[in-house]
Amino acid sequence: SPPFPVPPFFLSGVNMSEVATQVFAGQKPGTSGLRKRVEEFMQDHYMENFIQCTLEAMGNDLPGSTLVVGGDGRYGVTLAVDKIIKMAAANKVSKLIVAKDGIMSTPAVSNVIRTQKTTGGIILTASHNPGGQNGGDFGIKFNCANGGPAPTDFTDKIYKLSCEIKSYRICNNLQCDFSKVGTTTFVVDGSHDFVVEVVDSLDDYVQMMKDIFDFGMIKDYLKSVKILVNSLHGVTGPYAERIFGSELGAPADSFLKTNILPDFGGGHPDPNLTYAADLVKAMSEGDYAFGAAFDGDGDRNMILGAKAFFVTPCDSLAVIANNLELIPYFQKNPVNGYARSMPTSAALDRVAQVKGKECFETPTGWKFFGNLLDAGRIALCGEESFGTGSDHIREKDGIWAALAWLQILAARKQSVEEVLKDHWATYGRNFFTRYDYENCESDPCQKMMDELQAFVDDSGNIGKVFTSQSGKSFEVSKADNFAYTDPIDNSITTKQGIRVFFSDGSRFVMRLSGTGSSGATVRLYVDTFEGDKEKQTKSAAEMLAPCIEVALQISKLPTYTG
Ligand code: G1P
Ligand code: ZN
């Protein structure tokens, strides 16, 4: 041990410099932050520009602020953390809480913002988009003091600044090792202090999960069944091993792809039947009772039962809503209502109706749940895009969703499939599917959307009948482009998706994705309700095929996209 007492922190002098830069076109945050190909992001000054604009968008809140920074482990994260430390110092941020090695899941960052009461946080992720130096995506997003994604007026401000930027501020001689937990204080230009606190990425999050769920009960349940968890080489790997393994006792062979890789092993870190096909295969061949997969930054989840029985995210949300009282957190905290994004099926609404709770339909994107959560109007919310979460934080939370399911299974002593069948028997079944047409040319897709707009604007289309090849007819009962008035701040968001409703209760929705990094992605969502028990166990593919066909007829999507 050293012969002198080690001070709790080191002081080190650094200097700010102002670096001239030029505007980069297209730094407009989408549904969830700015996402671009790595090559675009790694151009000289590109990342610095966006970081500078993000910090400046904070306005008067910037000087003296405390921010959190963490990322999903993809290529570019450590580089970005280093730049953010240097630029935060130069922009008069007082304190930066940095995840060790720059790695922290999106829900965990949201939690740190809330528990440490910081001014906000910067999350380095392109979520479920592929990563890596060659052809992968990178992303940066800002979360506000409530722990949730910045609202549109904030991201609009970032974009506006990015169109005018002439210089950025950086402390180039600041060296900070963020691979070790600890606190360092830097003195910028001999005038103000800047503190960097490197924190363990797991501790606070694990504690929060222990406060929400009954770990003892889940641990007992896991003595009798096997589970399989797939992190798709994303950020949840260490969280999953610690929570499901060390804490809840699942043996080592319960985990797939829990080592974080900067390119996610070349895969697409999106937990769905396509990109988590290895989980589906292992579940169908093995004797696991429960399976879960998570996306790159840990906010999405997919839930499977024995023999790879698939739970749609829409049903997962409705089942959790129906069983909330089995989770200790919701026994202690009021549940006033639920919310779902507009394209998500109305399975949740049926539970809300029976339970006498409010139910809100919001535009796509987690940021639209923020006000409702903050106001205590909702305790649970979700999206069809494999996002489920509650008011414990202000992001969707993959690990939380898997734990919610395990708690429900442990309490109900039923299999996943039995829980679903009971649910459908009680509430009826909403069949749901989504088709994604990726990497399309932008112009024809825009034309298609314009034509759909004309279709919904023409009231003469109400009552029109369209027939599928199989002979099933659909009569248009209502059509619009979804608009939303936020019940808390009365802000209005328009053009959130073309909706066409049919008289038999089916509907389709079409919208352009706001998270893609190039070209256009068209999303087609189709759902229908079935109250007849006999038909509830049919496959969604079979039940929805005629309506999908009619959606393609009305939109002329094959013609527009080829
Ligand atoms: C997609 C999903 C949306 C989700 C978002 C971020 O956005 O559809 O539900 O909130 O990713 O995970 P989109 O690409 O459709 O704009
Ligand atoms: Zn994500």
Side-chain angles (χ1 to χ4, degrees):
S1 61
F4 47 86
V6 178
F9 52 76
F10 305 95
L11 283 176
S12 130
V14 296
N15 306 97
M16 189 272 268
S17 43
E18 186 110 19
V19 178
T21 186
Q22 288 170 17
V23 167
F24 288 93
Q27 290 199 333
K28 190 174 171 58
T31 312
S32 192
L34 182 73
R35 292 185 195 173
K36 297 284 176 195
R37 288 269 190 271
V38 164
E39 297 89 89
E40 189 167 354
F41 241 114
M42 298 304 151
Q43 298 172 80
D44 284 348
H45 306 313
Y46 189 97
M47 196 185 269
E48 288 87 344
N49 274 23
F50 191 73
I51 295 167
Q52 182 67 39
C53 298
T54 300
L55 294 173
E56 269 177 36
M58 292 170 64
N60 294 334
D61 290 340
L62 176 64
S65 60
T66 299
L67 295 175
V68 189
V69 61
D72 63 5
R74 71 178 58 227
Y75 177 84
V77 163
T78 46
L79 185 82
V81 170
D82 187 57
K83 285 194 200 299
I84 289 168
I85 296 174
K86 292 178 161 124
M87 292 183 67
N91 280 281
K92 300 213 164 86
V93 170
S94 289
K95 183 175 175 185
L96 201 59
I97 299 175
V98 179
K100 183 175 164 294
D101 297 315
I103 288 176
M104 192 179 269
S105 76
T106 292
V109 173
S110 182
N111 178 46
V112 174
I113 294 173
R114 292 169 65 76
T115 52
Q116 304 295 318
K117 300 197 169 35
T118 73
T119 325
I122 299 176
I123 307 181
L124 307 166
T125 175
S127 186
H128 50 284
N129 296 14
Q133 195 167 3
N134 302 310
D137 280 355
F138 189 72
I140 299 185
K141 88 176 198 180
F142 186 81
N143 279 29
C144 296
N146 73 344
T152 315
D153 55 349
F154 189 97
T155 53
D156 284 349
K157 219 157 141 191
I158 299 179
Y159 179 56
K160 193 164 175 277
L161 289 163
S162 81
C163 298
E164 297 159 358
I165 187 167
K166 293 195 172 62
S167 64
Y168 59 83
R169 289 186 280 283
I170 189 161
C171 292
N172 274 318
N173 62 346
L174 188 161
Q175 298 297 330
C176 180
D177 174 7
F178 49 93
S179 68
K180 287 179 199 74
V181 169
T183 302
T184 313
T185 300
F186 300 90
V187 182
V188 182
D189 292 334
S191 74
H192 66 272
D193 284 1
F194 171 64
V195 178
V196 176
E197 183 188 354
V198 180
V199 298
D200 181 281
S201 305
L202 302 183
D203 287 348
D204 289 358
Y205 183 83
V206 174
Q207 189 51 50
M208 172 172 60
M209 291 300 118
K210 285 179 152 177
D211 293 341
I212 294 174
F213 298 102
D214 180 345
F215 269 41
M217 187 179 193
I218 300 176
K219 193 169 181 173
D220 277 347
Y221 171 67
L222 292 188
K223 285 179 186 148
S224 61
V225 299
K226 282 171 70 178
I227 65 168
L228 192 58
V229 171
N230 188 349
S231 293
L232 294 168
H233 294 305
V235 73
T236 60
Y239 294 83
E241 286 184 356
R242 169 96 167 260
I243 291 173
F244 301 108
S246 318
E247 298 285 346
L248 295 170
D253 60 0
S254 313
F255 303 97
L256 290 172
K257 296 183 175 169
T258 41
N259 53 326
I260 300 176
L261 294 175
D263 65 349
F264 307 112
H268 213 117
D270 203 359
N272 57 39
L273 296 172
T274 305
Y275 296 123
D278 51 348
L279 178 71
V280 177
K281 185 161 182 282
M283 293 285 299
S284 28
E285 289 166 0
D287 57 351
Y288 303 98
F290 176 83
F294 310 110
D295 76 334
D297 63 327
D299 54 359
R300 291 186 175 197
N301 75 92
M302 175 171 75
I303 303 295
L304 298 176
K307 298 293 159 215
F309 178 89
F310 173 59
V311 183
T312 70
C314 307
D315 278 346
S316 174
L317 179 63
V319 165
I320 295 174
N322 191 38
N323 290 283
L324 270 189
E325 59 279 5
L326 302 178
I327 299 170
Y329 175 89
F330 298 102
Q331 293 159 2
K332 287 176 241 148
N333 298 295
V335 177
N336 293 322
Y338 319 117
R340 63 167 170 88
S341 68
M342 177 274 285
T344 305
S345 89
L348 179 71
D349 308 40
R350 296 175 194 284
V351 177
Q353 203 180 16
V354 169
K355 301 227 171 214
K357 309 272 183 203
E358 275 195 295
C359 191
F360 300 88
E361 187 179 29
T362 58
T364 296
W366 208 260
K367 61 187 172 200
F368 292 101
F369 296 133
N371 280 346
L372 294 166
L373 289 163
D374 286 349
R377 292 282 282 276
I378 61 168
L380 175 79
C381 47
E383 296 190 274
E384 52 64 42
S385 52
F386 297 83
T388 328
S390 91
D391 59 359
H392 67 294
I393 51 170
R394 294 295 179 272
E395 289 278 5
K396 50 196 180 241
D397 191 342
I399 300 261
W400 175 91
L403 285 168
W405 265 94
L406 288 174
Q407 185 85 76
I408 291 167
L409 297 176
R412 292 183 59 126
K413 299 187 173 54
Q414 279 181 309
S415 72
V416 173
E417 186 167 348
E418 284 164 352
V419 170
L420 259 300
K421 287 190 172 152
D422 270 8
H423 190 91
W424 296 332
T426 310
Y427 293 102
R429 179 172 178 187
N430 285 76
F431 286 93
F432 174 89
T433 194
R434 175 176 119 184
Y435 282 22
D436 292 336
Y437 302 86
E438 292 171 343
N439 285 319
C440 297
E441 276 179 56
S442 297
D443 288 352
C445 291
Q446 197 48 58
K447 278 206 190 98
M448 179 183 80
M449 294 308 288
D450 292 346
E451 231 190 79
L452 278 168
Q453 181 69 53
F455 181 91
V456 303
D457 287 343
D458 179 356
S459 58
N461 285 317
I462 307 300
K464 260 200 188 157
V465 176
F466 295 84
T467 307
S468 74
Q469 272 174 5
S470 58
K472 189 163 181 203
S473 290
F474 294 85
E475 184 190 331
V476 178
S477 57
K478 185 182 146 188
D480 65 8
N481 195 337
F482 180 62
Y484 177 68
T485 304
D486 186 297
I488 311 301
D489 66 14
N490 292 318
S491 60
I492 296 172
T493 312
T494 58
K495 303 224 158 98
Q496 293 299 303
I498 298 285
R499 307 191 291 181
V500 178
F501 299 86
F502 300 107
S503 55
D504 72 340
S506 315
R507 83 170 175 175
F508 78 84
V509 174
M510 258 196 191
R511 56 180 283 281
L512 296 180
S513 155
T515 56
S517 58
S518 62
T521 293
V522 181
R523 301 203 196 285
L524 166 64
Y525 313 77
V526 183
D527 69 83
T528 191
F529 176 72
E530 188 54 69
D532 179 352
K533 264 191 197 155
E534 296 290 295
K535 292 190 187 150
Q536 283 167 5
T537 48
K538 290 199 168 191
S539 82
E542 183 188 344
M543 294 297 284
L544 297 171
C547 189
I548 292 167
E549 216 190 284
V550 162
L552 296 181
Q553 259 181 49
I554 294 178
S555 63
K556 306 191 189 78
L557 182 137
T559 314
Y560 279 111
T561 64

